[in-house]
Amino acid sequence: MPAESLAAALVRAGGPVALLRDLASPPSTFPVQPEFTNWRSEQRSWLESCALLDQSHHMTDLFLSGPGALPLLSHVAVNSFAHFGVGRAKQLVAVSPDGHLIGDAILFHLEEELFDLVGHPMVIDWVTFHLERGDFAATVERDDNSAVRASGPPRLYRYELQGPTAAALMEEVTGGPLPEVAFFRMAEFTIAGRRVRALRHGMAGQPGYELFGPWEDGEAVLGALLGADARHGLVRVGAKAYSTANLESGWAPAPMTALFGDDPLLQEYREWLPASKAGSIGGSHHPADISDHYLTPYDIGYGKHVAFDHDFIGRAALERMAQAPPRTKVTLVWDADDVADAVGSSFRPGPGAKYLDLPKARYATHHEDVVLVGGRQVGISLDCGYLANERALVSLATVENEFAVPGTEVTVVWGEDPVSAKPAVEEHRQVHIRATVAPVPFVDFAREGYRSR
């Protein structure tokens, strides 16, 4: 039988909020070893030495080729492609016709007329839909993440090296000084006799490289990295620690996907998209109107990617929004005593607070909690976790501009009311947790004296 479409599922459930609030879809997972040592020490490695993270399995790759590949990407993305030559990469951002986020992914320009779009399925599906409905001279090859791939290994390995000794380790395994490579540019190296491509970028506020190549070369490359001089302090990082890196760098994973408007394009997309591709929503933010869950590029710091030098889906709406974006992305540092009290409620007669899992406290695909000031909602907390390097529980959030000043005191409402039927949600009561606004990326602010204030 054909898979149920999202449109059909919405009719069955009675609307998007009813469907997504109780959906069994879990948060994104990292299908690699959870810990090699312990996640606290592994978090420490990207600050003090060199972290090695296996990125081969948790993202979807969409390889686009042909003369129509770039026009297709330009049609769906807010980004400029004016100077996007071979050997470059960028964070591609896509929006709906009304300017709300579909999602983001990393786009690699590998060769003339060959691109690799890497990320969560939200944008991958959106691009594929537009290729199939449009007149673009392009073809695609999809390589799903290892959690859902039907059989076989990934097409590519990806290894992330991050931390203050990453460059020295790279020089050892490549056999020479590293060339000057600008941010989000690619270079080529030879490691263990294999050709390796490397993207220069940073994660968790630290310098590093993303190495990738054919899967069959992965073991040899990994062996060379693991065999490097022990003085570099290489530490393998598992899924638990890796899932928190975005909290230091400020990237908001899996923001709510704006699929449910009345625009004919979105109606057609919902008929095309299998219902299984829709993500669950969770958290204390529980408006009756699904559009109140939506985010714009400006809400989460993607305004810098918006370029009005080309026609793209949602351009007119973003031109209006750009005049006065109402919200700003921030980091929220949760009050330690309030967090301890919420965790401690598990040891007292219940129901207690919603279980606060560590190091990542997320229990839906799209997690959104209410942020209050003086009892009024002023924003949404998006992604929450514990940073051992800072000994703090933090979340990424988007708040009204006047409350985005570092040091502003807010309150996060933790837990659901009413409690949804998602498998990861137990009987609990909502609690209020005080928090303090800090900048994004948080790691820079922490180094410059947040803890001494």
Side-chain angles (χ1 to χ4, degrees):
M1 293 180 60
E4 182 184 34
S5 71
L6 178 56
L10 290 170
V11 172
R12 171 175 52 79
V17 172
L19 174 67
L20 303 184
R21 192 72 182 176
D22 292 332
L23 202 64
S25 261
S28 298
T29 57
F30 297 75
V32 295
Q33 187 167 323
E35 297 170 292
F36 287 91
T37 53
N38 65 84
W39 58 261
R40 284 82 61 201
S41 298
E42 290 170 12
Q43 283 184 347
R44 198 75 185 165
S45 66
W46 59 63
L47 173 65
E48 294 184 340
S49 58
C50 182
L52 170 61
L53 309 96
D54 188 348
Q55 297 180 317
S56 308
H57 299 282
H58 72 285
M59 291 292 187
T60 299
D61 286 73
L62 188 71
F63 298 94
L64 303 99
S65 58
L70 189 59
L72 168 64
L73 293 165
S74 182
H75 174 64
V76 301
V78 306
N79 312 72
S80 174
F81 293 90
H83 304 288
F84 189 56
V86 173
R88 295 193 173 202
K90 67 171 62 207
Q91 184 179 10
L92 181 144
V93 177
V95 300
S96 65
D98 60 5
H100 291 101
L101 275 168
I102 296 296
D104 67 292
I106 302 301
L107 179 66
F108 296 78
H109 195 169
L110 300 177
E111 300 172 11
E112 291 293 340
E113 300 184 0
L114 177 61
F115 303 84
D116 183 11
L117 186 62
V118 184
H120 292 307
M122 294 83 166
V123 170
I124 306 295
D125 293 332
W126 184 247
V127 171
T128 304
F129 165 72
H130 285 283
L131 172 63
E132 293 183 6
R133 76 183 296 273
D135 185 23
F136 297 98
T139 59
V140 296
E141 179 183 346
R142 179 170 177 147
D143 186 18
D144 280 310
N145 69 57
S146 294
V148 300
R149 186 183 303 106
S151 62
R155 175 169 165 175
L156 301 177
Y157 71 82
R158 292 186 188 276
Y159 302 134
E160 185 80 29
L161 289 175
Q162 294 286 328
T165 66
L169 190 150
M170 280 286 291
E171 288 185 342
E172 178 183 332
V173 297
T174 60
L178 299 178
E180 290 291 331
V181 183
F183 183 73
F184 254 52
R185 303 286 182 90
M186 286 181 277
E188 291 190 6
F189 302 97
T190 299
I191 299 176
R194 274 71 170 180
R195 176 195 179 204
V196 176
R197 283 176 163 163
L199 174 66
R200 177 72 174 85
H201 75 108
M203 181 203 71
Q206 298 296 331
Y209 301 85
E210 180 179 316
L211 311 178
F212 62 98
W215 176 257
E216 54 269 23
D217 293 345
E219 282 298 318
V221 174
L222 178 61
L225 298 175
L226 295 176
D229 194 316
R231 288 177 296 179
H232 302 309
L234 184 67
V235 175
R236 296 193 74 175
V237 173
K240 286 188 174 182
Y242 183 25
S243 71
T244 66
N246 70 291
L247 295 170
E248 294 193 22
S249 64
W251 174 63
M256 181 63 193
T257 311
L259 304 181
F260 304 100
D262 294 330
D263 190 282
L265 176 64
L266 294 176
Q267 295 177 7
E268 182 182 348
Y269 184 56
R270 294 193 295 269
E271 293 284 355
W272 178 90
L273 188 70
S276 60
K277 297 294 188 71
S280 59
I281 53 177
S284 59
H285 184 56
H286 185 27
D289 189 336
I290 190 66
S291 66
D292 289 333
H293 281 284
Y294 295 166
L295 301 168
T296 76
Y298 302 104
D299 290 336
I300 57 172
Y302 294 167
K304 61 186 178 182
H305 298 303
V306 179
F308 298 118
D309 63 351
H310 66 298
D311 289 326
F312 59 88
I313 298 167
R315 172 176 171 165
L318 290 186
E319 285 179 323
R320 294 189 296 271
M321 292 178 186
Q323 302 302 314
R327 296 194 295 201
T328 300
K329 182 172 67 171
V330 299
T331 304
L332 300 181
V333 184
W334 294 26
D335 182 83
D337 291 336
D338 288 358
V339 171
D341 186 63
V343 173
S345 68
S346 294
F347 301 92
R348 299 189 291 269
K354 173 74 185 74
Y355 182 69
L356 226 163
D357 202 6
L358 298 182
K360 207 59 176 292
R362 188 173 61 206
Y363 53 87
T365 310
H366 311 295
H367 195 104
E368 297 187 344
D369 287 320
V370 169
V371 179
L372 302 171
V373 171
R376 181 176 74 84
Q377 182 169 0
V378 300
I380 303 171
S381 176
L382 300 169
D383 196 49
C384 172
Y386 180 76
L387 302 178
N389 294 334
E390 316 302 334
R391 300 190 68 81
L393 193 78
V394 307
S395 64
L396 299 174
T398 181
V399 299
E400 294 175 11
N401 295 335
E402 65 178 293
F403 302 106
V405 179
T408 301
E409 295 182 357
V410 301
T411 298
V412 178
V413 181
W414 175 251
E416 297 185 340
D417 184 16
V419 175
S420 68
K422 289 185 291 295
V425 180
E426 74 283 8
E427 181 186 13
H428 66 274
R429 60 180 173 82
Q430 282 187 337
V431 296
H432 286 204
I433 297 178
R434 292 168 293 172
T436 303
V437 172
V440 173
F442 174 61
V443 65
D444 294 337
F445 186 52
R447 301 292 178 265
E448 294 168 3
Y450 177 83
R451 284 298 169 195
S452 64
R453 298 182 72 171

